[in-house]
Amino acid sequence: MEGVLINEVEQEKNLDLTLLANFVHQVVNPLNGVAGTLDNLAEGTVEGEERRLQRLNAARAQLEQCITLIRNLAFLAQGRGGVADDDRRKIVLPQVIIESAMIFQEDGKTKKIEINLLDRSTQNTITGHPELIRQVLMNIFDNFIKYGKIGHPVEVDQRIQKSSGMALIEIKGISAHPIDQEDLGKIGTLGFRGKNAKKVVASGSGLGMYICKKIIEEQGGSLHMEVGVQGKVLFVIKLPLQS
């Protein structure tokens, strides 16, 4: 029995070290990119106002990715990433979706992957934690930009489901490498990365989807993922109108 407990402790320690190493790698890479962009701008090697603006927007997107990663780690360490239980406000779904998608606009352009909200006019609202909902959307959009098939858009739909009285956010796109059915049930497990993800990006934190699922479930909702033929991927987020 003692040997089993020691083995479990060692496994947890190894998982913690792997997560930390992957986390550091994911944060350092975009920060190096930002530093390189600032050097180029300071030295005047980027010519033309349009190109300078593109570089600045790309650097901002890289910083936002770092912020998301740090929030993921903070959420894991603190339970809610510093968001108070009673800090609930009205969330306008189209607004929070658009704000989250804009962060990946520049990265999306380079891969010809647009994030399109199908219904921008219907102002469906819920009550919850805007920062946490934004964090979930950013994690999912980040996955689509990283692992999505070049030239194929990501489509987002939002509505209130009459049968359940829940708010629905559906996000669908196409993965560059189809997700293995064996991996599907493990996605959302702490530290797990699917085979398709490893083909595109060798290392990752394995935190994103775990935290997405945890955030949504803690607000009384659900998150599940479906995969179809030719790399089709669908995320379905259900949230109560008041959490």
Side-chain angles (χ1 to χ4, degrees):
M1 184 66 179
E2 185 178 347
V4 173
L5 291 174
I6 292 172
N7 189 43
E8 288 179 355
V9 170
E10 286 297 321
Q11 286 179 341
E12 288 180 5
K13 190 184 295 182
N14 289 336
L15 177 59
D16 289 343
L17 290 173
T18 300
L19 285 174
L20 182 60
N22 287 336
F23 173 82
V24 170
H25 176 77
Q26 281 194 290
V27 170
V28 168
N29 276 356
L31 287 178
N32 281 335
V34 172
T37 297
L38 293 177
D39 286 343
N40 291 335
L41 290 170
E43 293 166 4
T45 57
V46 182
E47 297 179 358
E49 188 62 28
E50 186 177 347
R51 286 190 64 201
R52 283 194 288 269
L53 185 59
Q54 286 176 346
R55 294 292 179 87
L56 281 172
N57 285 335
R60 188 184 188 283
Q62 288 173 311
L63 286 175
E64 289 284 359
Q65 286 180 333
C66 290
I67 291 167
T68 301
L69 286 165
I70 291 167
R71 281 178 175 167
N72 282 345
L73 192 64
F75 185 91
L76 191 65
Q78 300 174 14
R80 281 188 176 271
V83 177
D85 285 345
D86 58 354
D87 186 21
R88 295 181 176 89
R89 303 191 297 280
K90 184 173 81 168
I91 302 171
V92 181
L93 292 182
Q95 180 182 341
V96 76
I97 292 168
I98 291 168
E99 288 172 352
S100 303
M102 283 178 65
I103 292 164
F104 302 96
Q105 186 175 9
E106 290 302 317
D107 274 0
K109 280 181 182 177
T110 62
K111 296 185 178 180
K112 299 179 182 178
I113 300 174
E114 293 184 359
I115 301 173
N116 298 321
L117 176 58
L118 301 180
D119 182 1
R120 290 171 171 246
S121 59
T122 307
Q123 302 296 294
N124 292 316
T125 62
I126 62 173
T127 301
H129 297 89
E131 296 85 359
L132 296 181
I133 299 302
R134 194 176 294 112
Q135 185 174 353
V136 169
L137 292 170
M138 286 172 64
N139 279 336
I140 293 174
F141 292 154
D142 184 40
N143 276 352
F144 272 115
I145 298 299
K146 278 182 184 173
Y147 309 121
K149 193 169 184 178
I150 292 173
H152 290 265
V154 176
E155 294 184 344
V156 188
D157 194 18
Q158 56 88 24
R159 65 183 188 277
I160 304 300
Q161 190 179 43
K162 291 181 180 178
S163 59
S164 65
M166 303 273 279
L168 238 65
I169 302 174
E170 295 181 333
I171 307 169
K172 60 183 178 181
I174 297 180
S175 176
H177 298 278
I179 296 171
D180 195 312
Q181 286 289 342
E182 291 182 5
D183 288 347
L184 187 59
K186 300 175 187 175
I187 293 173
T189 303
L190 180 60
F192 178 78
R193 297 184 71 235
K195 300 181 190 73
N196 71 311
K198 292 176 182 177
K199 288 177 183 177
V200 180
V201 181
S203 64
S205 66
L207 288 177
M209 293 314 303
Y210 168 79
I211 287 171
C212 286
K213 192 173 180 182
K214 193 170 179 63
I215 287 173
I216 296 299
E217 288 177 352
E218 285 188 358
Q219 296 201 61
S222 65
L223 184 154
H224 79 271
M225 181 180 179
E226 299 174 7
V227 296
V229 296
Q230 298 179 331
K232 291 181 181 179
V233 179
L234 170 68
F235 286 94
V236 180
I237 300 170
K238 283 188 179 182
L239 285 163
L241 300 186
Q242 291 190 342
S243 60

